[in-house]
Amino acid sequence: MATATFRFYAGLNDFLPRKRRQQDFEAAFAADASVKHMIEALGVPHTEVALVLVGGQPVGFSRRLRDGDRVAVYPHFMAFGLESLPSLGEAPPRPLRFIADSHLGGLARLLRMAGFDTLYRNDYADREVVELATCDGRVVLTRDRDLLKRGAVRYGCYLRATTPAAQLHEVVARLGLAGQFRPFSLCTVCNLPLRPVAREAVLERLPASVKIKPLHFTTCDACGRIYWEGSHWRRMRALLDAAETGG
């Protein structure tokens, strides 16, 4: 069986066994195996890869491996001077829209709070996630690497962080979302736009402690929820500001 030498860089090493991280290693491959097939067979989802060099030359995922090839695999960089090299795949359409898998409800809520269109249900099957992402050009957010290995997934982001706040910081940094926040413009439950509403129109539905305060109110026409700038709003605004600025 033919073999090739692989080297993965930066965060892509997180997907590899420890003995293969940060170093060259040989791996056998079957006849007619493509670069994409071997990268994913070694544990790295194709959505995490920005550039592949074989023998020092950039290649596409479909390039067939040959015995003795040397393969270097790079992740998406925000500022590492790779602009002159051809990146694999195309950038997702802007403004970015997301779909979060069933384990990322907390992150989905924070992204909606920041103003990013984010689909989420806690009972999404992987097939549904892929279909919705493909149909709408959405970025798949997940901690399931096998989901990102599905061939139909065009845009994806594997999250290393395990808490919603840390995941928000990670998404903002990796996808360059700073400056694109529209805080409190979407319903955190329905993912639909909020609109301003007069206090008098919702007065009977407000807590007694809120009725007497000079606050601005918004509402969701789908679910009827009412939002206002209370103590929870201030805590969430601080969290969003920290994520957007990297603080």
Side-chain angles (χ1 to χ4, degrees), residues 164-187:
Q167 289 166 348
L168 179 63
H169 277 261
E170 184 177 351
V171 170
V172 171
R174 290 188 59 193
L175 300 181
L177 301 183
Q180 300 176 43
F181 280 33
R182 296 181 298 113
F184 309 107
S185 59
L186 295 178
C187 178

Side-chain angles (χ1 to χ4, degrees), residues 47-86:
T47 57
E48 300 297 295
V49 176
L51 176 69
V52 177
L53 303 180
V54 175
Q57 298 299 313
V59 301
F61 279 134
S62 61
R63 201 271 202 184
R64 300 296 168 180
L65 289 170
R66 302 167 191 147
D67 191 31
D69 275 343
R70 298 187 66 85
V71 184
V73 189
Y74 297 85
H76 294 277
F77 293 104
M78 297 305 299
F80 276 77
L82 297 182
E83 294 84 358
S84 62
L85 295 174

Side-chain angles (χ1 to χ4, degrees), residues 94-143:
R94 299 276 176 163
L96 291 181
R97 296 188 295 170
F98 302 99
I99 181 166
D101 79 7
S102 59
H103 302 291
L104 298 177
L107 173 61
R109 181 180 175 85
L110 291 179
L111 283 168
R112 290 171 178 175
M113 198 175 293
F116 294 99
D117 179 347
T118 306
L119 295 184
Y120 169 78
R121 276 204 337 255
N122 62 9
D123 61 348
Y124 274 144
D126 286 356
R127 172 186 51 79
E128 292 179 277
V129 171
V130 174
E131 288 176 354
L132 288 168
T134 302
C135 180
D136 296 343
R138 293 177 181 271
V139 178
V140 177
L141 303 174
T142 184
R143 283 182 47 77

